[in-house]
Amino acid sequence: MTSHNRYAILSLLPYTIFPVTMLVLADLPLRVILQKMLLAAPFTLFVGILNPFFDTTPMLQLGNIYLTGGFVSFISIFLRMFLCVTASLLLIATTPFHEICHSLRRLGLPKPFVIQLMLLHRYIFLLAEEAARLIQARSLRSFNGRGAELRYFIPMLGQLLLRSMDRAQRVHAAMLSRGFTGEIHLLRPSTIKNTDIVFVAAWSAAFYLFRTGIPSHIIRRIGAFFLT
Amino acid sequence: MSHHIVEVKNLYYRYTDGTTALNGVSFRITHGESVAIVGANGAGKSTMLMHLNGYLTPQTGEVRIGDMPLTRQTISHIRRTVGMVFQDPDDQLFMPTVEEDVAFGPLNLGLPLEDVNTRVDQALKQVEALHLKKRLSHRLSGGEKRRVAIASVLAMEPDILVLDEPGTGLDPHGRRLLIELLASFRHTKILATHDLDMAMDLCERTIVLHNGQIAADGPTQKILRDDELLQKSHLERPLRLQGYPICNRGNT
C-alpha cells in the first residue's frame, strides 16, 4: 500500500474489499471495530491536516468543484489509515493473542521478543488490576479532590513499579523451580491447513491485481461514464 | 527410598536489610511424611520454603534432599525432585494457555513431545482439570488457577511436594476439594499454612516456627492442643478444637 503514490485514492479503493469481506465472514460487530478505529483517527488527522494548506495545486475536478493536491493526499492518508487499522483490528479480533505470538515466531521473529510479548499480554491484566486497586484505595480516602494531586500520583506510580518488580521476582522463582534455564520451549503451534493456503494465495493474488491498477482503471472508466 | 528425605541442618538466613529470617532451623522429614509448617506472619515460613528447592541457597547450615546437599551443581536435580506450588497462582501460571503452562516444566526437562503431551494430560486429569486444557490462564477462576498450578508442578513428577498457603483465595467448597485432592497424593508433602484445620486434615506432623526458630516439632494433634505454645507463637487452636466458642469465651 505504501508503494502507491501520495495522491492515490482510486487505486486504493479496491483494497477495502479485504476488511469488508473479513468483517462479514467473521461476523464481527461493525460498531466495535469502528469505535476502536476512531482511537487511531486523531493521529492521522494530525499527520495530514496541514496538507491542504501547503499543497494548493488543483488536482481533481468533480463536476465544478476543484480539489487541491493537499486535499487529495489528505484523503489518501485517511484511506491508508482505514485499511491498516481495520486489518490489524481484524487480526486481533479473529486470532487469539498467543497464536499470533506463535505465528510471529514461525515467521522468524527472535524468541526473546515473542516471549516478551507473551508475558506482556499475560501480565498486563494483572498490572491493570493492581493499578485499579491503588486508585480505588486512594479515592476511598480522598475528599473534595484533596489527595488527588500530582504529588500523590508519583509515589503511587513508584509503588506500582515496586509491586511489579516483586511480582517479576516471584514469577522468576516459579520459572526456576520448574527447570527454567533461560530457554522457553514452545509447544508446536497449530498446523497449516489446505484452506489456509487457499486463503493466503487468493488474497495475495487479489492484492497483486489491485496493485497492477486494473481494477481502479475500471472504476475510473465507470466513474467517467457517469460523470460525463 | 532415601531420595524422598528432606533434611535441614542448622539453617540461618539474613536478608540484606538486616532482618534475620531463619535463626538456626533443623529438622528431618522422611519418605511419605506429610508435615505442616505453621507460624505467625514473618515467622520465616516462606523463607524456609524458598530454601527447599534452591531459590535461596543456605548462608550457613545445610539443606539435603535425599542424599544430595543443595549446591549449585545439584540444583537442577533438586528442582526436579522438589515440586513447589507458590502462594499466588498468578505468579506460577505465566504461559498464555493452561496446556502450555503445564508443559513448561516437562519441556525444560528435555522430554520428547509425545511424553510431554501424556504428562500434561495425566497431570490435568489428576487435579480434575482436563477440560481446562485449551483455556487461557488469566481467564480461570481462583479455584481453577490453583488446580492448574498444582498440575503444572505434578507434570514434573516430583517426589516431594512443597505448598505455600495452598488454601488462600478459595471458597469453602474449593478448599474442601483441595484438601481431598492433596490427601490423595502419595508424595512427601510439606505445607506452610495459617489454616490449622487444613493442617489437621492433611498432616500428621507439625512444625511451629517462631521468630526464625523452631518452637515445636511433633504430632499435629498434640501441638494444636497446646494452648501455651500456640499463644506464644501467635497462633490459636483450630476452630474444630475450640468446642463451642461462645461457651468457651465465658471461661477465659
Side-chain angles (χ1 to χ4, degrees), chain A residues 1-227:
Chain A
M1 216 164 23
T2 45
S3 62
H4 287 276
N5 84 53
R6 54 190 295 220
Y7 298 119
I9 293 181
L10 278 180
S11 55
L12 286 177
L13 277 179
Y15 291 98
T16 50
I17 293 173
F18 177 68
V20 171
T21 332
M22 292 301 284
L23 209 69
V24 174
L25 281 181
D27 199 15
L28 292 168
L30 182 65
R31 264 189 77 143
V32 178
I33 299 284
L34 287 179
Q35 271 171 4
K36 305 241 156 152
M37 213 175 67
L38 278 180
L39 286 176
F43 296 101
T44 347
L45 197 69
F46 285 120
V47 171
I49 192 77
L50 291 177
N51 282 12
F53 298 103
F54 287 132
D55 187 353
T56 49
T57 39
M59 280 279 297
L60 202 71
Q61 186 189 3
L62 290 172
N64 46 11
I65 307 165
Y66 284 94
L67 280 183
T68 62
F71 258 114
V72 175
S73 64
F74 184 51
I75 295 170
S76 177
I77 288 174
F78 235 91
L79 252 176
R80 284 163 211 247
M81 184 279 293
F82 170 79
L83 290 169
C84 293
V85 175
T86 43
S88 5
L89 283 175
L90 285 166
L91 176 67
I92 295 168
T94 51
T95 320
F97 192 77
H98 63 277
E99 279 181 26
I100 296 178
C101 290
H102 279 308
S103 313
L104 284 174
R105 174 78 197 110
R106 277 200 150 183
L107 288 173
L109 190 72
K111 220 175 198 176
F113 291 119
V114 176
I115 287 158
Q116 280 294 318
L117 264 179
M118 276 177 146
L119 291 177
L120 179 75
H121 184 254
R122 171 69 183 83
Y123 285 105
I124 200 151
F125 300 98
L126 284 177
L127 185 72
E129 270 173 38
E130 200 111 56
R133 277 202 296 272
L134 273 173
I135 290 167
Q136 191 183 33
R138 183 197 61 184
S139 53
L140 283 175
R141 286 189 291 147
S142 78
F143 303 97
N144 300 330
R146 240 183 276 167
E149 299 98 343
L150 198 63
R151 67 191 168 102
Y152 292 107
F153 182 70
I154 293 156
M156 274 172 75
L157 214 60
Q159 181 71 254
L160 194 62
L161 178 68
L162 285 178
R163 287 187 193 191
S164 313
M165 279 162 67
D166 279 348
R167 185 180 289 281
Q169 248 174 9
R170 293 197 303 271
V171 172
H172 185 231
M175 288 175 132
L176 284 181
S177 72
R178 282 199 277 151
F180 176 68
T181 48
E183 173 84 350
I184 289 192
H185 308 267
L186 300 174
L187 278 177
R188 76 273 159 270
S190 47
T191 45
I192 198 157
K193 287 193 283 282
N194 279 341
T195 45
D196 297 331
I197 298 171
V198 172
F199 180 88
V200 172
W203 278 115
S204 307
F207 291 149
Y208 181 74
L209 187 69
F210 298 159
R211 186 66 193 90
T212 57
I214 299 167
S216 57
H217 186 69
I218 297 169
I219 297 177
R220 199 181 308 234
R221 277 295 181 77
I222 297 170
F225 178 77
F226 281 111
L227 282 175

Side-chain angles (χ1 to χ4, degrees), chain B residues 118-231:
Chain B
T118 41
R119 278 206 189 188
V120 169
D121 286 358
Q122 257 173 10
L124 284 173
K125 226 176 268 169
Q126 259 180 298
V127 298
E128 288 167 36
L130 196 56
H131 59 289
L132 303 174
K133 190 172 165 182
K134 298 285 176 196
R135 293 269 299 276
L136 295 178
S137 309
H138 66 269
R139 297 265 171 82
L140 302 175
S141 76
E144 288 169 341
K145 276 184 188 166
R146 178 68 64 182
R147 277 187 287 156
V148 172
I150 293 175
S152 70
V153 170
L154 289 180
M156 311 261 299
E157 301 192 344
D159 301 317
I160 300 158
L161 269 183
V162 177
L163 303 110
D164 193 358
E165 286 289 1
T168 32
L170 297 183
D171 57 34
H173 179 65
R175 171 180 166 278
R176 183 52 58 195
L177 288 180
L178 177 75
I179 290 176
E180 280 166 18
L181 179 68
L182 292 178
S184 71
F185 293 158
R186 304 199 160 276
H187 309 75
T188 303
K189 284 185 287 264
I190 301 172
L191 181 75
T193 185
H194 286 304
D195 183 345
L196 300 181
D197 283 281
M198 184 188 270
M200 269 184 77
D201 279 332
L202 286 173
C203 308
E204 58 274 12
R205 177 175 159 198
T206 295
I207 294 173
V208 181
L209 276 182
H210 186 56
N211 289 339
Q213 285 177 315
I214 292 191
D217 180 355
T220 307
Q221 291 288 344
K222 188 167 153 256
I223 284 184
L224 295 184
R225 283 169 208 272
D226 186 341
D227 288 321
E228 198 186 326
L229 168 73
L230 291 175
Q231 202 182 3

